[in-house]
Structure formats: structure tokens, C-alpha cells
Amino acid sequence: MNDVRTLDGSGPVEVAVGDEGDLPGIVDLLNDVAANSIASFDTRPIRVDERRAWFERFSSAGPYRLLVARRDGQVVGYACSQRYRDHDAFRETVELSVAIDAGCRGLGVGTSLYRALFESIADEPIHVAVVGIAMPNDASVALHRKFGFTEVGTFHEYAAKNGQYISSLWMERLL
């Protein structure tokens, strides 16, 4: 898709459609996020085979896309648009997700991924994109505001992880 330089001037980050070879890197990224933050509600490490069905929901055409950011061949982030709910009434709604390697946060990788994701789904039959952000997460809120998302509400203390209750801010963007 494209190569971008990060804000720190380090080597280029390639943003491309995710492929089977990216799945182990995505799983490593997700496991790191789950272990070191509340941004993921996973409470135990996942294996590649457990994430395969999720990966297979994406394609290079249609509303459900998976893009990865790679630096030197290693996955440093991903962004995706996926089915919001299984009901047919939600067929024009996608839920977005983004995760960035801790060493690459704040360098423009999330912006590059979202820019490419929105370009890739621009002509798809999507009416609204939604996102739930575990709070606090000022960086994710700022990223979503940058892309035109507005706040619609908060689920207060609706999840529990590592002995604490977690709230989520929900945001939407009409496409």
C-alpha cells in the first residue's frame, strides 16, 4: 500500500494488507497489549491457532479489512474493520480496532494505518464505524477524534481485569 516515515525519523513503516505470515506478529502484539495494559480485555495469552478464525474474517475486498504496519518485516501495528454484530440489521456498521507496538506509539503509525484503512473501505457499503476504547486511553481518543469520530457514551465499569473495573468510551463516525 504505502511506506511512511515515523515521526521520529526512523526507518520506513510499510502499511499493507495483512497476510497469513503476519498472524504470529499480530498475536505477539495482542499478547503484549493484554499483559501490559487494559486496552485489551484478554486476560490470558492467546495462541496463533486461536486467532486464526478471526484472521479469516478479513479479505482484500469488502467492508472487513485488516491492515498491518511492518518495520523491517516485523509487525508493529494493525488496524481492522470488522463485523459489529451478527444481526443483519448491522450489515452497514463496522467496528474498528487498532493496536500499536509499545515502541512505536506516538510516532504516526496509528495515523498511517487509519488513513490507509479508511481509503480501503471508502467505496464499501458502510454507513457507520464504531469503536470502543478502554479508559483511560487519551492517545486512542485523540487518534479517533483526528479521524472524525465523536463520543456517543460510556459503559461504566462493565469489565473486570487484574482486580480493577474498566470503563469504555464509545465513539462513532458516519461514513
Side-chain angles (χ1 to χ4, degrees):
M1 289 192 126
N2 59 29
D3 284 343
V4 294
R5 289 236 173 246
T6 55
L7 297 177
D8 67 350
S10 60
V13 172
E14 173 198 18
V15 174
V17 173
D19 63 39
E20 185 81 21
D22 295 315
L23 190 54
I26 292 169
V27 168
D28 288 345
L29 174 62
L30 290 170
N31 284 337
D32 182 67
V33 170
N36 296 301
S37 77
I38 61 166
S40 166
F41 293 134
D42 287 325
T43 57
R44 64 169 185 77
I46 56 172
R47 299 183 318 267
V48 170
D49 63 306
E50 293 175 304
R51 203 63 173 174
R52 192 164 312 285
W54 168 85
F55 176 81
E56 291 171 353
R57 294 179 194 155
F58 301 103
S59 68
S60 59
Y64 310 126
R65 308 285 182 103
L66 172 66
L67 301 181
V68 296
R70 299 183 199 105
R71 176 183 282 155
D72 299 323
Q74 300 296 310
V75 173
V76 296
Y78 82 88
C80 65
S81 58
Q82 55 197 340
R83 181 180 296 274
Y84 171 64
R85 300 243 169 119
D86 287 332
H87 305 288
D88 190 49
F90 293 111
R91 69 186 169 279
E92 293 181 11
T93 302
V94 293
E95 183 173 1
L96 303 187
S97 180
V98 61
I100 308 299
D101 178 84
C104 292
R105 292 182 192 143
L107 302 179
V109 175
T111 296
S112 296
L113 280 164
Y114 259 13
R115 185 175 295 120
L117 181 63
F118 280 110
E119 287 173 9
S120 74
I121 63 174
D123 295 326
E124 299 300 334
I126 300 171
H127 181 65
V128 66
V130 299
V131 62
I133 303 169
M135 298 302 288
N137 191 336
D138 293 341
S140 186
V141 172
L143 174 66
H144 288 90
R145 284 184 180 147
K146 179 178 185 173
F147 280 90
F149 283 79
T150 58
E151 299 174 14
V152 292
T154 301
F155 288 122
H156 297 278
E157 298 183 358
Y158 79 130
K161 181 178 175 180
N162 298 333
Q164 71 180 38
Y165 289 106
I166 304 167
S167 299
S168 280
L169 172 67
W170 280 82
M171 300 178 81
E172 68 180 1
R173 174 183 163 181
L174 296 176
L175 298 178

